[in-house]
Amino acid sequence: MALDPAFLDELRARTPIAPVIGRRTKLVRSGKHWKACCPFHGEKTPSFYVYDDHYHCFGCQAHGDVITFVMQSEGRSFPEAVEELATAAGMDMPKPDPVQRERAEQARTLGDVLEAVQQSWQRRLHEPEGREGLAYLRGRGLSDDTITAFGLGWSGAGRGELVAEMARLDITPAMLRDAGVMRADENGAPQRELFFNRVTFPIRDRRGRLVSFGGRILGDGQPKYLNGPETAIFSKRRVLFGLDRAREGVRGSGAGAELLVVEGYMDVIALHQAGFHGAVAPLGTALTTEQLEALWLVAPAPVLCFDGDGAGQRAAVKAAETALPLLNVERTLRFCTLPEGEDPDSLVRRHGSAAMATMIEGARPMGQVLFGLMSEGVRDPGPEQRAALRRRLVAVAALIPDKTLAAEYRSTLLDSFFQTFRRDGRGGAKRVPVATAPVAPMAADLQRQCILSAILLEQPSVLDAVQDAYCSLALPPDLAALREELLDLYDRNGELPDADELASRLAEAGLADVRQRVDATRGRRGQAADADLFDTDPVQEWWHFYGLLDVERFAAELRADTERLCAGTPDEAQWNSLRTRLLALDALRRGGDEEEE
């Protein structure tokens, strides 16, 4: 029975897909979407993703909407699946319509429509009207064999020739619109051809099925490159140009068999012609989660090869940010940054395949690249900037869900940090001892900052529990230099030495005067009513003075942490940390700042 499309649209709108799928397989949140082990094939690592209106398995390629899922999972026919969902949604099934049945029988699939268009455009490239497009492709160094292999074509002038030709094949403008080769007006009616006066690039999914087109205009028109719109069979964020070929191309060895991610159609085609058969490209957008998952199904460590300009660097940053929450010990990324002003196409044409192979062989691990990307533009930073950068590096590593891998990334990033920005004479510019003329009387906040530092000098183990908050403090230069040395020692050794050895290390770093002034400040606390309140818990004492710097901010931080822990699955250490800070806040609110009198 042919069903009214409007009825089906309403049924899909009334039937959220996640609960339907969740009745058959356990779904786990993955950002804005859901993931699970695929219910259609056996797997241990989830590759089945559920989005707002559809699902997709990157393992077996199962794909569809809520109706398709019921059909595939329960073995029902289309009418049976629709009836089941309609009953659950409280909708009445429409009565049979012979006219709609006849139209459905006559309708072609979108794939058939696209293949007919492809044959037309590929033929036109070699006819007089496509002369300019063919000359452009040959001028870019492509051979006729490559042009044919990739099915490159010419779209024509867009004056109705395509519509007329397709009409002879019983393909209507509405079908062309649904296939993504005609624009629609504000009412949804087919309006005009989308691609005209463009060299065309057929876009195929990983199985080689034609799903859309891209086009490159000749001359100064805009946009230079154009992709087809989203359709029932094409989702830009899930498709990589050339992936159908790359799956076969990466089965060899050497640079030519690496899975390479480049920026554009011409880069992919030029690299394939030069012997690099694993080249693919996103479709004019930043790499998406779905595209990364598809890449990792082909190779565990794809090489991202971006242009050597500002846009290429931004693309690398975005790709790294997207990839971090997806990394594990079995899948990662490598980065190959081309020389300024070069892209893969130009590099191969100017310098040959050997130059490109050298660049690929020099691809760097993600840990090294991450540090370079995050520290871009940082030149001779002061203590505050260094502390902020260090905290960002630690936060980036924490995005990786695998705790062991996250720890390794943290270590690698911080090693790079200290090698690059160390100022203590052990690999960088020698630290200049800070002049530490005493300040009297001391401002209240400065005195509290000194006490916070003094607690760490007396009880070095406290740093493990408070380092993030310690990094966030805006300290004067001398105290910031002291903090920098403490963090340096902590990250290189995994802990601070005992108090006596720590004093010796600080003296070697030219910070003895700062240490002595901090200790003296702590000695001037006097005999406050709560002077011995924290003798048995130096961590709580540290949080007490941290809170005194800004009680309202401290309270807000604790509220946020409490909500976060309650929403997740915290371990005992996280709860103990929160409890200690809450006790410190309670002491403050009960008048625990009497030492200021």
Side-chain angles (χ1 to χ4, degrees):
M1 177 181 69
L3 295 172
D4 183 358
F7 170 80
L8 296 175
D9 288 343
E10 183 179 356
L11 176 61
R12 294 183 183 101
R14 287 196 188 185
T15 311
I17 189 170
V20 174
I21 295 178
R23 290 196 288 268
R24 292 190 62 89
T25 186
K26 182 179 179 181
L27 298 178
V28 178
R29 269 289 181 187
S30 178
K32 297 180 180 179
H33 311 300
W34 301 87
K35 66 180 179 180
C37 289
C38 181
F40 303 120
H41 80 286
E43 61 176 8
K44 296 181 179 179
T45 302
S47 62
F48 183 87
Y49 284 78
V50 181
Y51 305 93
D52 291 339
D53 58 358
H54 70 281
Y55 62 89
H56 183 83
C57 177
F58 291 96
C60 68
Q61 298 303 303
H63 180 92
D65 60 14
V66 66
I67 300 173
T68 309
F69 182 81
V70 172
M71 293 171 62
Q72 292 182 340
S73 62
E74 300 180 10
R76 296 182 180 274
S77 66
F78 179 77
E80 291 172 338
V82 171
E83 184 172 4
E84 176 183 326
L85 293 172
T87 300
M91 298 174 63
D92 294 328
M93 288 288 290
K95 296 179 180 180
D97 186 338
V99 176
Q100 290 184 358
R101 182 187 303 116
E102 182 179 356
R103 290 175 179 173
E105 291 172 352
Q106 294 175 348
R108 295 171 179 266
T109 67
L110 297 185
D112 291 337
V113 173
L114 292 171
E115 288 292 354
V117 172
Q118 164 63 8
Q119 291 177 20
S120 172
W121 285 350
Q122 193 170 9
R123 186 192 71 249
R124 288 169 186 242
L125 180 68
H126 298 279
E127 294 178 349
E129 66 173 298
R131 185 182 299 113
E132 185 180 4
L134 185 59
Y136 166 78
L137 294 172
R138 288 173 174 168
R140 293 290 297 266
L142 300 185
S143 68
D144 287 351
D145 287 344
T146 298
I147 293 170
T148 300
F150 277 87
L152 306 186
W154 177 253
S155 64
R159 299 190 181 94
E161 298 96 333
L162 179 65
V163 173
E165 182 178 347
M166 294 298 105
R168 293 193 289 272
L169 301 174
D170 297 327
I171 296 175
T172 66
M175 294 177 185
L176 294 173
R177 174 205 59 201
D178 293 344
V181 294
M182 287 195 73
R183 294 185 186 275
D185 62 20
E186 59 185 13
N187 297 316
Q191 185 177 34
R192 63 181 185 277
E193 294 178 25
L194 177 62
F195 300 94
F196 56 89
N197 289 330
R198 291 178 183 268
V199 171
T200 60
F201 304 83
I203 300 172
R204 300 184 180 274
D205 65 14
R206 67 192 302 265
R207 292 186 177 180
R209 296 172 297 195
L210 186 59
V211 293
S212 189
F213 292 98
R216 204 274 192 199
I217 199 166
L218 302 186
D220 298 327
Q222 292 296 327
K224 181 186 293 184
Y225 284 95
L226 177 68
N227 294 312
E230 302 276 313
T231 69
I233 62 173
F234 174 58
S235 175
K236 187 182 301 185
R237 65 182 296 108
R238 294 181 178 83
V239 177
L240 287 155
F241 181 73
L243 186 59
D244 56 318
R245 292 173 170 273
R247 292 173 67 196
E248 297 295 326
V250 299
R251 293 185 178 180
S253 60
E258 290 279 10
L259 182 59
L260 305 176
V261 183
V262 293
E263 293 191 48
Y265 302 120
M266 290 302 299
D267 291 325
V268 171
I269 298 171
L271 287 175
H272 274 265
Q273 179 172 280
F276 301 94
H277 301 298
V280 301
L283 302 175
T285 61
L287 273 175
T288 66
T289 297
E290 293 86 350
Q291 289 168 338
L292 286 168
E293 295 282 2
L295 288 169
W296 282 318
L297 288 174
V298 178
V303 177
L304 273 55
C305 190
F306 294 126
D307 298 353
D309 56 14
Q313 289 298 300
R314 289 190 293 274
V317 171
K318 181 63 177 176
E321 292 174 344
T322 303
L324 280 168
L326 307 173
L327 297 185
N328 60 39
V329 294
E330 297 178 348
R331 60 189 197 182
T332 185
L333 296 175
R334 290 172 291 158
F335 288 77
C336 169
T337 303
L338 298 182
E340 183 77 27
E342 295 281 12
D343 57 37
D345 179 24
S346 67
L347 186 67
V348 167
R349 284 190 286 124
R350 293 174 186 171
H351 306 289
S353 299
M356 188 67 205
T358 299
M359 298 300 300
I360 296 169
E361 290 166 358
R364 295 181 296 157
M366 188 164 173
Q368 294 180 12
V369 174
L370 264 182
F371 176 76
L373 294 175
M374 296 196 67
S375 61
E376 181 70 23
V378 178
R379 300 289 184 271
D380 193 26
E384 293 79 11
Q385 291 76 25
R386 293 176 66 189
L389 175 58
R390 177 187 177 278
R391 188 174 188 183
R392 289 200 302 273
L393 296 174
V394 172
V396 160
L399 293 174
I400 301 172
D402 185 303
K403 299 303 181 184
T404 301
L405 184 61
E408 290 296 329
Y409 263 79
R410 183 181 187 275
S411 177
T412 297
L413 290 171
L414 291 176
D415 283 348
S416 297
F417 172 82
F418 290 118
Q419 290 170 8
T420 303
F421 295 119
R422 184 180 296 144
R423 303 179 64 85
D424 59 1
R426 292 169 291 180
K430 185 177 181 179
R431 175 184 284 125
V432 178
V434 180
T436 57
V439 178
M442 300 184 69
D445 279 354
L446 181 56
Q447 184 177 10
R448 292 161 180 160
Q449 291 170 348
C450 286
I451 292 172
L452 288 173
S453 300
I455 294 171
L456 296 176
L457 298 182
E458 292 175 4
Q459 301 285 343
S461 62
V462 171
L463 181 59
D464 187 58
V466 303
Q467 61 172 313
D468 285 345
Y470 189 41
C471 286
S472 72
L473 293 175
L475 300 176
D478 52 354
L479 295 183
L482 176 64
R483 172 177 61 188
E484 185 180 354
E485 181 63 18
L486 293 179
L487 294 173
D488 189 334
L489 292 170
Y490 181 88
D491 285 307
R492 282 190 282 112
N493 301 301
E495 60 181 2
L496 287 178
D498 62 32
D500 291 337
E501 184 180 350
L502 185 57
S504 176
R505 294 286 190 91
L506 294 176
E508 292 174 2
L511 296 169
D513 291 344
V514 180
R515 180 187 64 79
Q516 291 171 3
R517 182 165 66 85
V518 164
D519 286 342
T521 302
R522 182 159 169 77
R524 290 201 295 271
R525 287 182 60 203
Q527 302 299 318
D530 64 347
D532 297 325
L533 180 61
F534 306 103
D535 283 352
T536 59
D537 192 349
V539 175
Q540 187 178 338
E541 181 183 25
W542 195 95
W543 285 116
H544 174 82
F545 286 98
Y546 174 85
L548 280 173
L549 292 171
D550 190 332
V551 176
E552 293 306 316
R553 183 191 66 178
F554 187 37
E557 291 174 353
L558 288 178
R559 283 195 297 271
D561 284 351
T562 301
E563 292 173 0
R564 178 176 57 81
L565 292 182
C566 290
T569 55
D571 56 30
E572 183 178 358
Q574 291 172 310
W575 279 123
N576 287 339
S577 173
L578 179 63
R579 178 179 178 276
T580 299
R581 288 178 286 157
L582 288 172
L583 288 173
L585 178 62
D586 182 64
L588 288 175
R589 286 176 167 169
R590 287 187 290 104
D593 58 348
E594 295 173 4
E595 73 277 359
E596 295 302 309
E597 297 177 1

